[in-house]
Amino acid sequence: MDGGRAELLPDRDRPHGWTLLLDGAPQSHVDLDDPSYLDFEYQRRLGHIADLAAPPGRPVHAVHLGGGAFTLARYIAATRPRSTQQIVEVDARLVEFVRAHLPLDRTWRIRVRGADARAGLAKVPDGWADLVIADVFSGARTPAHLTSAEFADEVRRALRPGGMYAANIADGPPLAHLRAQIATVRTAFPELCLTADPAVLRGRRFGNAVLLASDRELPVAELTRRAASDPHPARVEHGRALVDFTGGAAPVTDATAAPSPAPPPDAFD
């Protein structure tokens, strides 16, 4: 692919389940028989957010920055019929590969736009989206221009009042990138919470954390309940605890932004 080598590995436990790897790093999992099934920990956490973005079953307008195997778009299409969704994916060859081997249901209202995530987001009308999900990796790193305060402002512009922004952030000890991302997103949104494996939050290993932001009160209690009941339980930080976790980190701008850190060699063993 344009962004590296893509592979599809069959799931031995699910007859039509597949894992997409990019340059050897597991990127997403899809079950063609059951698009509501989410296998990866971080994707389950994003699925909880999609469930709580609106009353159950109500269609939403969703923007997915980063395509992968279109896992969360499939999930929303299955759990919220008649939703209208846009996927922005810069790697045209990856889109062709996924469409060929993991085709989307033709009845789903999903448009795939071939563009850089930030450029594609700029084309979303003001206040159009109920939910924006950022899950963008070049190789195993999030590009720098998708980590800045200016980018967070662009997300806020595309969201309707009360809409939600969810970002998948990968980091490891000493969690400097994650702390800076919390501070950065806080410049655009007054309400934030963070969901992650406790070992990741303690800086004991490299992993994914899902940051949720909005201009309205977040469903922290329900998100906490769902995260705690997952096969791999997670912790939700919010309010004073999240401020303390951020540790005074400074927001980053376009001028100072850097890509997310590369995972250690054994991160995906």
Side-chain angles (χ1 to χ4, degrees), residues 145-164:
H145 68 296
L146 306 179
T147 68
S148 68
E150 291 88 343
F151 172 72
D153 286 339
E154 188 67 12
V155 173
R156 177 72 182 266
R157 177 201 62 77
L159 282 170
R160 65 166 180 81
M164 290 183 175

Side-chain angles (χ1 to χ4, degrees), residues 21 37 47 59 62 74 98 118 152 155 186 247 251:
L21 278 68
Y37 174 76
R74 299 172 196 268
V98 171
R118 188 157 166 179
V155 173
R186 195 180 293 280

Side-chain angles (χ1 to χ4, degrees), residues 29 35 41 62 64 66 92 111-112 114 116 118 138 140 177 186 221 229 238 248 265:
H29 178 280
E41 294 175 33
H64 303 265
R111 176 186 180 187
V112 183
D116 169 79
R118 188 157 166 179
S138 177
H177 175 72
R186 195 180 293 280
S229 63
H238 176 256

Side-chain angles (χ1 to χ4, degrees), residues 44-71:
R44 288 181 64 86
R45 292 162 194 163
L46 290 171
H48 296 327
I49 291 170
D51 291 343
L52 299 172
R58 197 192 81 181
V60 297
H61 288 178
V63 177
H64 303 265
L65 303 178
F70 313 151
T71 303

